[in-house]
Amino acid sequence: MIRFETTPLNIGGWTILRLPEIESGKLPSRGMALVDGTINGFRSKIVLEPDGKGSHWFRVDANLREAAGIDAGIAVTLEFEPTKDWPEPELPADLTHALASDTQANALWVKITPMARWDWLRWIRATNNRETRSKRIDVALSKLKDGERRPCCFNRNLCTEPEVSKNGILLDPSQTTK
């Protein structure tokens, strides 16, 4: 069991919880990881995103903030352990539409693991440029039709959320504004 306290941070208008490096080092991967446990006693399953510097973080949405009693500036207690029971990722409309329009690509999509689907989704959304995102969806469909189960040339240890990262590295909260 991994147990620690951390304080919520604000980056680009997002509230995040960042794992201390020593605790993150106890996870099975420097890339995306799934954990099951509690935040302030509230049971949760969380997908941890790599920060690009050897640690992990996750976004605290409004529902989690309320359920776990998370307030800015007040330490949060986390207790969890890694799990391999990956949930299905929530797909954006553009990817859902593209998969629905290509039965051959969709056939492999439904056969690959949920974690592989998370990888494809992370690679597709790791850009703020709509044209690049559209091209990535087209490339994903083509690669799926060719039998490729995961995106290639994709560093799984980098942060892929463009709103809170630059060049695959989680932004420093002291250098960002809302």
Side-chain angles (χ1 to χ4, degrees):
M1 187 68 68
I2 300 170
R3 188 179 198 292
F4 61 94
E5 284 190 357
T6 190
T7 304
L9 303 170
N10 289 314
I11 300 178
W14 289 22
T15 299
I16 70 160
L17 289 175
R18 189 171 184 188
L19 280 64
E21 282 189 45
I22 195 160
E23 304 305 337
S24 184
K26 297 174 184 176
L27 295 169
S29 170
R30 293 302 92 224
M32 187 176 47
L34 179 66
V35 296
D36 189 12
T38 62
I39 304 168
N40 285 348
F42 175 75
R43 188 120 200 113
S44 189
K45 189 176 279 193
I46 298 168
V47 176
L48 301 174
E49 177 82 14
D51 69 358
K53 298 183 210 176
S55 191
H56 292 83
W57 66 277
F58 66 95
R59 183 178 189 178
V60 179
D61 64 20
N63 292 334
L64 180 57
R65 188 173 21 257
E66 184 177 330
I70 299 171
D71 291 316
I74 299 175
V76 175
T77 301
L78 292 98
E79 188 172 299
F80 55 70
E81 55 190 355
T83 181
K84 294 182 179 183
D85 187 22
W86 281 84
E88 283 297 326
E90 196 171 308
L91 299 184
D94 56 351
L95 181 56
T96 300
H97 177 74
L99 287 166
S101 69
D102 191 319
T103 56
Q104 189 178 356
N106 193 55
L108 182 55
W109 181 265
V110 298
K111 289 180 185 177
I112 62 176
T113 66
M115 187 174 184
R117 289 190 281 272
W118 276 92
D119 275 346
W120 281 111
L121 184 57
R122 288 181 70 225
W123 176 70
I124 289 167
R125 73 174 185 220
T127 181
N128 277 327
N129 185 302
R130 289 185 187 271
E131 186 176 317
T132 300
R133 180 184 173 101
S134 180
K135 285 180 185 177
R136 287 184 180 180
I137 290 173
D138 290 343
V139 168
L141 294 178
S142 175
K143 289 183 177 289
L144 286 163
K145 285 193 282 193
D146 287 345
E148 294 186 38
R149 302 175 86 77
R150 294 202 188 239
C152 74
C153 311
F154 170 59
N155 186 339
R156 297 181 72 230
N157 300 338
L158 296 179
C159 182
T160 59
E161 290 293 342
E163 292 185 50
V164 295
S165 68
K166 182 170 175 104
N167 298 324
I169 307 292
L170 185 69
L171 296 172
D172 182 337
S174 66
Q175 299 175 345
T176 62
T177 58
K178 284 188 176 186

